[in-house]
């Protein structure tokens, strides 16, 4: 049996097993199974050891361990190295590699909709574990990136990462918004619990269908952040396609199969 896991804490909400088991069945990998497991920080080393011993064939890593897992790994791919964020483990020859498929997942979610943000202004809310993956692709092509986070220190850490790319980001005080940007992305966890609200004033953005509000959260399907944007007259998008693409790329790393994201898979997330 080839065993796969998604690890995190909390982990109950994860829909990764649903997607990966669907693809494993569809592509005839009858000897494979994908489960979720809640782990503590002290359990991370043992998970990596199980990948090294072939007890686990592949692992996805989610909040809050995407950075914490790094010291236990033998190698990182380039994106994981620059973002310092790992969401996929796989053994290659004798080494356990950490990959970041979130960054590519995010860019596929936009390009899949033929949305191109080169030369545009982007406002990012949050500076948590996934934010560097979001910035990773945008940083080279965007005109300007504004970023805000409740805890300012964390944005300053992110700034080091963007400075390496030779691009400056502008830090906005929490609670304030910059002049209308073309893309506004919520990378905070606010909204995961129904009715949670980000109290920001987007008056400048009213009745502008050219502006896209993108929430990385996909469950609930429409957070207050997206609902308010829709009522304000902006375009909206949730994190469903990014989630599916990061899963697709991880599946390909493990199995060599590039699984199809069709309506049936997308429907699995409608709950
Ligand atoms: P972390 O990286 O801290 O482990 P995360 O889940 O990856 O956690 O990120 C959570 C993000 O949501 C952070 O940007 C966090 O802001 P802080 O850095 O200030 O904690 C943000 N967040 C969570 N709850 C929030 C709230 N009630 N109001 C505003 N931002 C919040």
């Amino acid at each position: 049996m080839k065993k796969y896991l998604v690890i995190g804490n909390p982990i109950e909400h994860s829909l990764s097993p649903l997607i990966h088991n669907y693809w494993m069945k569809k592509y005839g990998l009858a000897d494979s199974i994908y489960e979720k497991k809640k782990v503590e920080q002290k359990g991370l080393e043992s998970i990596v050891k199980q990948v090294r011993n072939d007890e686990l064939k592949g692992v996805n890593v989610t909040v809050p361990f995407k950075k914490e897992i790094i010291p236990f790994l033998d190698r990182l791919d380039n994106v994981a190295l620059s973002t310092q964020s790992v969401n996929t483990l796989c053994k290659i020859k004798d080494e356990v590699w950490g990959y970041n498929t979130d960054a590519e997942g995010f860019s596929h979610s936009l390009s899949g909709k033929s949305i191109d943000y080169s030369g545009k202004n982007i406002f990012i809310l949050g500076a948590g574990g996934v934010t560097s993956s979001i910035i990773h692709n945008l940083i080279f092509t965007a005109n300007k990136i504004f970023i805000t986070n409740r805890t300012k220190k964390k944005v300053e850490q992110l700034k080091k990462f963007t400075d390496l790319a030779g691009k400056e980001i502008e830090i906005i005080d929490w609670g304030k918004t910059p002049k209308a940007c073309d893309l506004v992305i919520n990378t905070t966890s606010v909204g995961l619990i129904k009715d949670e609200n980000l109290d920001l004033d987007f008056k400048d953005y009213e009745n502008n269908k050219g502006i896209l509000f993108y929430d990385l959260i996909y469950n609930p399907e429409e957070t207050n952040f997206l609902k308010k944007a829709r009522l304000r007259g902006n375009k909206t998008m949730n994190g469903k396609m990014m989630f599916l693409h990061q899963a697709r790329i991880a599946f390909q790393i493990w199995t060599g199969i590039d699984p199809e994201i069709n309506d049936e898979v997308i429907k699995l997330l409608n709950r």
Side-chain angles (χ1 to χ4, degrees):
M1 202 69 184
K2 290 180 181 151
K3 197 171 162 191
Y4 296 81
L5 275 188
V6 56
I7 58 163
N9 194 349
I11 198 64
E12 301 76 44
H13 67 281
S14 175
L15 299 181
S16 291
L18 202 65
I19 301 302
H20 284 286
N21 285 319
Y22 168 87
W23 280 331
M24 282 160 180
K25 193 164 166 209
K26 173 169 174 176
Y27 293 100
L29 309 177
D31 61 341
S32 298
I33 183 157
Y34 186 113
E35 292 171 343
K36 53 184 153 189
K37 186 178 166 115
K38 182 174 163 182
V39 300
E40 308 292 334
Q41 165 83 33
K42 60 181 185 319
L44 295 179
E45 189 170 9
S46 149
I47 293 286
V48 176
K49 210 179 262 171
Q50 289 174 63
V51 178
R52 199 169 281 120
N53 297 341
D54 301 314
E55 287 166 54
L56 290 172
K57 177 95 171 77
V59 175
N60 277 140
V61 182
T62 187
V63 177
F65 300 129
K66 290 183 178 187
K67 191 178 172 70
E68 280 76 0
I69 195 83
I70 291 178
F72 306 109
L73 303 173
D74 302 318
R75 293 245 200 175
L76 299 182
D77 81 334
N78 285 336
V79 185
L81 193 63
S82 68
T83 57
Q84 287 294 297
S85 177
V86 163
N87 75 329
T88 302
L89 310 186
C90 185
K91 184 172 153 186
I92 309 281
K93 297 201 178 122
D94 287 330
E95 294 176 315
V96 182
W97 280 69
Y99 297 83
N100 176 323
T101 74
D102 285 328
E104 202 183 330
F106 174 71
S107 57
H108 273 282
S109 73
L110 290 177
S111 60
K113 292 207 163 219
S114 305
I115 306 173
D116 180 8
Y117 282 96
S118 317
K120 299 288 174 66
N121 293 335
I122 296 161
F123 180 32
I124 296 175
L125 315 179
V130 75
T131 314
S132 58
S133 304
I134 301 307
I135 296 177
H136 182 264
N137 297 302
L138 298 173
I139 190 78
F140 295 105
T141 53
N143 176 49
K144 178 133 199 182
I145 295 182
F146 300 88
I147 182 154
T148 192
N149 193 50
R150 180 180 60 175
T151 312
K152 205 165 186 179
K153 204 173 82 205
K154 277 212 225 151
V155 195
E156 271 142 22
Q157 284 159 7
L158 262 185
K159 204 171 173 326
K160 283 188 213 146
F161 157 70
T162 55
D163 285 350
L164 281 177
K167 267 268 180 75
E168 268 202 36
I169 52 169
E170 185 170 329
I171 301 175
I172 303 288
D173 288 337
W174 183 245
K176 302 247 166 69
T177 50
K179 268 212 316 238
C181 286
D182 305 286
L183 172 63
V184 183
I185 309 167
N186 177 35
T187 76
T188 78
S189 47
V190 180
L192 267 178
I193 298 171
K194 209 173 170 283
D195 296 333
E196 263 183 333
N197 218 341
L198 279 166
D199 197 16
L200 295 174
D201 178 5
F202 283 109
K203 239 192 222 106
D204 247 18
Y205 293 62
E206 262 169 29
N207 293 320
N208 190 336
K209 279 201 179 62
I211 301 176
L212 174 66
F213 277 70
Y214 188 149
D215 200 327
L216 299 194
I217 296 170
Y218 59 87
N219 184 15
E221 203 161 350
E222 189 183 57
T223 56
N224 275 329
F225 174 76
L226 293 187
K227 184 175 173 190
K228 284 189 198 165
R230 177 170 56 79
L231 297 174
R232 201 186 299 121
N234 305 127
K235 272 188 300 199
T236 62
M237 178 169 166
N238 71 16
K240 199 188 278 187
M241 293 316 287
M242 174 180 167
F243 173 72
L244 288 171
H245 279 289
Q246 66 72 30
R248 175 181 68 76
I249 300 159
F251 193 89
Q252 191 173 21
I253 289 169
W254 295 325
T255 65
I257 299 165
D258 186 5
E260 192 189 3
I261 295 178
N262 56 15
D263 287 347
E264 210 175 325
V265 183
I266 295 171
K267 260 195 224 132
L268 289 176
L269 298 183
N270 294 344
R271 36 183 49 234

